[in-house]
């Protein structure tokens, strides 16, 4: 394996991006602004990221020859989604520096490993238990209580691979419905709000966090982000400290997001970590128009071995996701004063598909 987590690119060099979705597209656009080229690797010929780069590799993630060629074409490799097959990551990392280091994925691809990791750092999470059978589920319910959320350990996103277990539910049926062999049961968190911290860490170990973002979901999919989050400053500082601790413990290079719940506590609101996303994140899209340097540029800087920015927020920012048919209203958004529209160039809108987003910046309230 290539052991270094440090590269130094020059303008004109190429970053390789695994994955061709909107995140890859926005990373490639940020790279272009800094005079860097991007090459996108994706098995989907309709990848939105292909539209904005000159060099694209359309091949399966198991295609060793294509991966080897890709690795030889680029100066550093990054990824825009976390479910990279570990064999793909190994093949690439043996030939080229991959940032963030794919060993991070062993922790973040598995909800149990992730919760254990966070807990060992002394950071709070919802109570949880390992569940591999209906029998385990019954024991976990007895230990954790109801309501609770049963989640697949791997490959869950946007609420997929999870079932809320309520009083009176039949554990055998719930277990059968999840259609998995390995899961965790989490206590249902009666959160006041959901927040996230988007943070960047350089190879030198410097960590720069954006202002804490508040997130609202509809049908388990992010709908609105607000920056700054409407929480006390001390709690925001705690949230940033948690993200920094996690980034340092992972020896992370690049941008990551840490999703947290704000819960009422006897000494005021407290934080529980829900999830770590080892990549640029939807809740950081507001930074494209609401901050002097976006999360995408910050990620490019980190993996290129360039200095991190210390971004200035331009005001109070609202980000609205255009999900499915929402995108059909793009004409109205285009005429709304103060709104900046981002469309991802995807084909037909499907329910739940992220098609674009809009940012609105108002003069700062604090
Ligand atoms: P996740 O896939 O873990 O990010 O979960 C998606 C969404 O489901 C979260 O953003 C929450 O809105 C909700 N959720 C997940 N876990 C819990 C929990 N333990 N308690 C309450 N709501 C949850």
């Amino acid at each position: 394996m290539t052991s270094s987590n440090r590269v130094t690119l020059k303008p004109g060099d190429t970053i390789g991006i695994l994955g061709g979705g909107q995140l890859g597209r926005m990373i490639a656009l940020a790279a272009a602004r800094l005079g860097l080229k991007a090459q996108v690797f994706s098995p989907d010929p309709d990848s939105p990221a292909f539209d904005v780069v000159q060099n694209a590799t359309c091949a399966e993630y198991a295609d060793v020859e294509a991966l080897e060629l890709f690795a030889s074409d680029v100066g550093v490799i990054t990824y825009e989604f976390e479910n990279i097959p570990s064999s793909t990551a190994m093949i690439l990392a043996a030939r080229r520096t991959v940032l963030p280091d794919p060993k991070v994925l062993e922790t973040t691809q598995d909800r149990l490993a992730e919760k254990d990791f966070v807990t060992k750092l002394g950071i709070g999470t919802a109570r949880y238990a390992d569940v591999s059978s209906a029998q385990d589920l019954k024991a976990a319910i007895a230990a954790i209580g109801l309501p609770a959320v049963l989640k697949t350990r791997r490959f869950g996103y946007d609420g997929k691979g999870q079932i809320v277990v309520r009083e009176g539910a039949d554990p055998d049926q719930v277990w059968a419905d999840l259609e998995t062999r390995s899961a965790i049961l989490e206590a249902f968190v009666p959160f006041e709000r959901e927040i996230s911290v988007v943070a960047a860490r350089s190879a030198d170990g410097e960590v720069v966090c954006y202002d804490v973002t508040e997130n609202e979901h509809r049908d388990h999919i992010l709908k609105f982000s607000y920056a700054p989050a409407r929480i006390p400053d001390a709690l925001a500082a705690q949230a940033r400290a948690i993200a920094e601790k996690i980034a340092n413990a992972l020896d992370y290079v690049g941008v990551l997001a840490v999703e947290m719940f704000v819960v009422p506590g006897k000494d005021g609101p407290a934080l529980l970590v829900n999830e770590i996303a080892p990549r640029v994140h939807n809740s950081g899209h507001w930074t494209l128009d609401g901050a002097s340097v976006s999360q995408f540029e910050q990620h490019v800087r980190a993996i290129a071995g360039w200095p991190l920015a210390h971004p200035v927020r331009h005001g109070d920012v609202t980000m609205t996701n255009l999900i499915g048919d929402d995108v059909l209203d793009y004409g109205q958004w285009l005429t709304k004063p103060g709104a900046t529209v981002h469309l991802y160039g995807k084909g037909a809108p499907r329910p739940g598909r992220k098609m674009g987003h809009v940012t609105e910046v108002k003069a700062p309230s604090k």
Side-chain angles (χ1 to χ4, degrees):
M1 300 272 283
T2 305
S3 59
S4 168
N5 65 356
R6 183 184 298 269
V7 292
T8 309
L9 300 190
K10 297 183 304 307
D13 288 346
T14 302
I15 62 168
I17 303 171
L18 276 180
Q22 66 271 18
L23 300 180
R25 176 178 168 110
M26 290 186 273
I27 294 170
L29 290 170
R33 224 172 65 130
L34 292 177
L36 293 159
K37 296 180 171 42
Q39 178 159 346
V40 172
F41 189 114
S42 167
D44 177 1
D46 293 327
S47 293
F50 284 168
D51 293 344
V52 302
V53 295
Q54 207 172 6
N55 295 315
T57 308
C58 189
E60 295 301 321
Y61 291 119
D63 185 335
V64 178
E65 203 181 323
L67 289 169
E68 285 177 350
L69 273 172
F70 174 70
S72 65
D73 282 346
V74 302
V76 67
I77 296 169
T78 191
Y79 40 90
E80 59 120 45
F81 71 112
E82 56 271 56
N83 288 322
I84 312 278
S86 55
S87 53
T88 305
M90 296 247 303
I91 291 165
L92 292 172
R95 286 160 183 81
R96 192 62 71 205
T97 300
V98 180
L99 295 174
D101 191 308
K103 72 176 186 314
V104 164
L105 299 173
E106 289 161 25
T107 306
T108 58
Q109 282 181 347
D110 177 348
R111 288 187 192 273
L112 181 63
E114 184 173 270
K115 286 253 174 350
D116 286 346
F117 165 78
V118 170
T119 305
K120 279 201 192 100
L121 292 177
I123 298 167
T125 69
R127 283 177 296 125
Y128 64 98
D130 184 7
V131 174
S132 303
S133 65
Q135 208 52 40
D136 285 354
L137 179 57
K138 287 170 200 164
I141 291 172
I144 286 175
L146 291 177
V149 190
L150 185 67
K151 300 182 177 179
T152 55
R153 275 174 62 174
R154 291 175 172 275
F155 304 122
Y157 69 99
D158 286 347
K160 294 190 172 58
Q162 40 185 288
I163 298 176
V164 177
V165 192
R166 298 186 194 281
E167 211 62 62
D170 170 7
D172 291 301
Q173 191 58 50
V174 172
W175 180 247
D177 288 346
L178 196 66
E179 294 180 345
T180 188
R181 286 187 193 162
S182 50
I184 62 170
L185 187 74
E186 280 179 28
F188 190 88
V189 178
F191 56 80
E192 285 174 0
R193 38 186 111 230
E194 293 187 75
I195 61 166
S196 58
V197 177
V198 175
R201 186 172 181 277
S202 69
D204 296 332
E206 186 193 11
V207 178
V208 177
C209 297
Y210 284 97
D211 287 323
V212 179
T213 307
E214 182 170 337
N215 303 311
E216 271 180 37
H217 295 80
R218 299 275 186 277
D219 301 325
H220 294 280
I221 300 173
L222 183 66
K223 181 62 191 167
F224 301 107
S225 289
Y226 308 98
R230 292 160 293 189
I231 56 174
D233 288 347
L235 196 67
Q238 259 181 51
R240 287 194 299 269
I242 286 173
E244 180 164 354
K245 196 171 192 180
I246 288 173
N248 284 332
L250 290 170
D251 196 16
Y252 197 89
V253 179
V255 163
L256 87 172
V258 182
E259 296 176 24
M260 304 176 208
F261 298 125
V262 178
V263 290
K266 57 181 184 327
D267 304 318
L271 298 170
L272 300 176
V273 166
N274 176 36
E275 206 167 43
I276 304 166
R279 54 173 169 77
V280 290
H281 193 251
N282 197 168
S283 69
H285 287 6
W286 66 265
T287 61
L288 276 169
D289 309 296
S292 52
V293 168
S294 75
Q295 63 164 345
F296 302 101
E297 176 173 332
Q298 194 71 311
H299 184 67
V300 170
R301 285 176 178 232
I303 63 168
W306 291 7
L308 295 182
H310 293 84
V312 174
R313 183 166 50 77
H314 296 317
D316 285 359
V317 194
T318 300
M319 190 284 308
T320 304
N321 261 346
L322 304 179
I323 299 164
D325 282 348
D326 293 349
V327 76
L328 303 176
D329 295 334
Y330 73 92
Q332 265 160 294
W333 282 110
L334 286 170
T335 59
K336 187 165 183 200
T340 309
V341 179
H342 298 257
L343 302 176
Y344 303 149
K346 295 183 175 178
R350 285 196 300 269
R353 192 171 195 207
K354 291 176 179 169
M355 304 297 293
H357 72 270
V358 179
T359 10
E360 294 168 273
V361 186
K362 290 202 191 85
S365 63
K366 59 177 184 179

